[in-house]
Amino acid sequence: MCMKTIMKRKLLSVLLILTIGQIVAYDVAQFNRTYVDPSRDNRQIPTVIFHPVLSSEIRDNLDPDFPVIVFGHGWILPYTTYLDLANHFAALGWIVAFPTTEGSLFPSHLNFALDLAFVVQGVIGENSDPTSVLYGQVDPFAVHMGHSMGGGASVLAAEDTAAKAMVTLAAANTNPSAINAAQGVIIPSLTLAGAADTITPPAQHQIPIYNNLASAYKSYVSFNGVDHFNIYTNDLIFDVISAWLAYVRSGDTQDLDIYYGLLEQYQTSGDLSFEHWGYPARVQDYTVGIAPQARVFIYPNPVKDTATLAYELNTVSSVTIEIYNLRGQKISTHHQDSMIKGMYHMRLDRVFIEWQSWSSGAYLIRLVLDESQAFSLFTLIK
């Protein structure tokens, strides 16, 4: 992968963090729990749970409730296969639970699906258990998520579940058939596929599952160059899931526009293709560098010696211009009050005097208005 593509993806991650409001990076801990299902002869369901750790400052100031992901593993794949995913989402404020049942060569897909559905209820129940480290911290918003066999089992589980949404990664058809079961799934669904997947080829697995879903709304996203075993370690895919879940939780059409905008940006760069069904009409076209009330950019781009920062306002507003590096750190800020509608041009060294000390690389500009924001990317070459 070329450095330009890597830098762009990191900057899109920064953009996603800024726009969906995920500004807290939690520490992550884990514990083991065995849930017992009395309806199946007291079946034991050992589960490993990753969760955000609340510092005293966060507890005092934010008092968050953490939503739940129950993740179904692939055939003979241990939960440790998915540590990148677990740590990523737990750090963003999700509880991520991995039932470890049905790890043999000959698993029961139906039992695994029932385990996934039961663990959703079990983790939500931690909220009211004073002996649990999650006591008083669990949001009942729960998501079925799974890879390969676990993706197919998530479809089976989602026919009758307390979960509010479903995300599948390279889902495999199961026995009983996840393709058939999809007809009974009405919760919002995100179906993710690797275009280079030869183990569960999308045409035989994910596409017929997606087509049969009766979800209130649904998306199918195919990632170019991604195969069966790197679909769960990919930052690009984590960004897409995060943006989609932000909309599903909030129901806010601005979050939907952010999700659409992210997909469109990645599609333009050749990383993925997608289709949607059932979403409400968009209230705005949201793309990197363009927002309803403003736009911002630097020219020439890439920047070598001198450059001009330009922004356009379509309404009267105070203006704050922020620059972020690849690590998501804000490295400079410029503020002006009560700017009227119009186009503004400023020499970069007059706005951000210290810019000549910045390292070569890619940067993100954020233009913050009273009721809107806009973004753009530029590259500094020294």
Side-chain angles (χ1 to χ4, degrees):
M1 183 183 300
C2 69
M3 183 56 67
K4 182 178 179 181
T5 299
I6 292 171
M7 289 191 297
K8 178 167 65 176
R9 288 183 178 178
K10 288 183 177 179
L11 279 168
L12 286 170
S13 295
V14 172
L15 171 61
L16 182 63
I17 290 169
L18 292 170
T19 52
I20 68 175
Q22 296 282 12
I23 59 174
V24 176
Y26 296 97
D27 290 331
V28 178
Q30 70 181 78
F31 67 95
N32 297 332
R33 178 77 78 224
T34 298
Y35 296 105
V36 179
D37 184 353
S39 70
R40 292 185 288 158
D41 295 326
N42 291 324
R43 177 179 169 90
Q44 296 191 357
I45 311 169
T47 304
V48 181
I49 300 174
F50 293 78
H51 64 94
V53 176
L54 284 174
S55 67
S56 58
E57 180 181 1
I58 293 174
R59 185 184 294 275
D60 293 341
N61 294 312
L62 296 182
D63 190 27
D65 290 325
F66 301 123
V68 177
I69 293 170
V70 174
F71 194 96
H73 62 78
W75 179 62
I76 67 172
L77 294 177
Y79 78 89
T80 52
T81 305
Y82 307 99
L83 289 181
D84 285 350
L85 183 147
N87 285 306
H88 178 91
F89 284 98
L92 291 180
W94 289 82
I95 299 164
V96 187
F98 292 87
T100 60
T101 54
E102 302 303 329
S104 71
L105 288 173
F106 305 101
S108 166
H109 298 158
L110 179 57
N111 277 333
F112 195 36
L114 294 171
D115 293 345
L116 295 173
F118 191 81
V119 169
V120 166
Q121 300 177 39
V123 178
I124 292 174
E126 300 280 341
N127 188 67
S128 57
D129 180 358
T131 68
S132 173
V133 297
L134 298 178
Y135 178 58
Q137 299 177 31
V138 184
D139 184 333
F141 183 91
V143 178
H144 278 304
M145 190 180 298
H147 168 245
S148 194
M149 176 187 78
S154 293
V155 177
L156 299 178
E159 284 191 282
D160 184 15
T161 182
K164 301 295 193 297
M166 180 179 71
V167 179
T168 60
L169 297 84
N173 193 25
T174 49
N175 182 22
S177 171
I179 294 173
N180 293 338
Q183 299 175 72
V185 175
I186 61 174
I187 59 176
S189 302
L190 174 62
T191 304
L192 306 179
D197 187 349
T198 59
I199 294 177
T200 57
Q204 287 77 50
H205 295 267
Q206 296 94 56
I207 291 175
I209 289 173
Y210 171 79
N211 287 339
N212 275 359
L213 288 168
S215 300
Y217 52 87
K218 59 184 180 178
S219 292
Y220 178 86
V221 185
S222 174
F223 296 90
N224 297 329
V226 172
D227 64 26
H228 193 72
F229 294 111
N230 60 19
I231 198 168
Y232 48 78
T233 59
N234 190 306
D235 286 340
L236 182 160
I237 294 170
F238 294 166
D239 287 351
V240 170
I241 295 172
S242 296
W244 187 77
L245 289 176
Y247 167 66
V248 175
R249 287 190 71 198
S250 71
D252 190 324
T253 50
Q254 183 175 14
D255 287 331
L256 179 60
D257 285 325
I258 292 168
Y259 167 64
Y260 279 172
L262 188 71
L263 289 181
E264 288 162 1
Q265 180 70 19
Y266 281 135
Q267 183 182 55
T268 300
S269 61
D271 291 307
L272 56 78
S273 59
F274 62 89
E275 66 174 83
H276 305 304
W277 183 89
Y279 292 90
R282 298 176 66 177
V283 297
Q284 66 186 49
D285 288 326
Y286 191 103
T287 57
V288 174
I290 301 173
Q293 295 181 323
R295 62 190 183 109
V296 61
F297 56 94
I298 284 178
Y299 65 91
N301 185 11
V303 177
K304 189 172 183 182
D305 297 316
T306 62
T308 298
L309 188 150
Y311 64 91
E312 183 179 20
L313 303 180
N314 294 324
T315 185
V316 176
S317 180
S318 63
V319 172
T320 300
I321 302 170
E322 301 169 341
I323 304 289
Y324 291 80
N325 63 19
L326 283 173
R327 295 182 293 277
Q329 298 168 325
K330 184 166 63 177
I331 60 175
S332 212
T333 302
H334 175 77
H335 181 79
Q336 291 181 280
D337 287 316
S338 300
M339 304 297 291
I340 64 173
K341 178 180 177 180
M343 176 69 78
Y344 296 85
H345 301 265
M346 297 175 290
R347 284 282 298 275
L348 189 62
D349 55 2
R350 295 177 184 171
V351 182
F352 300 106
I353 297 174
E354 71 278 19
W355 80 274
Q356 292 179 338
S357 66
W358 301 348
S359 301
S360 295
Y363 294 85
L364 182 142
I365 314 169
R366 183 191 194 194
L367 177 68
V368 184
L369 309 181
D370 292 335
E371 297 182 353
S372 184
Q373 58 185 335
F375 301 89
S376 188
L377 311 176
F378 73 95
T379 302
L380 177 62
I381 299 173
K382 288 191 171 183

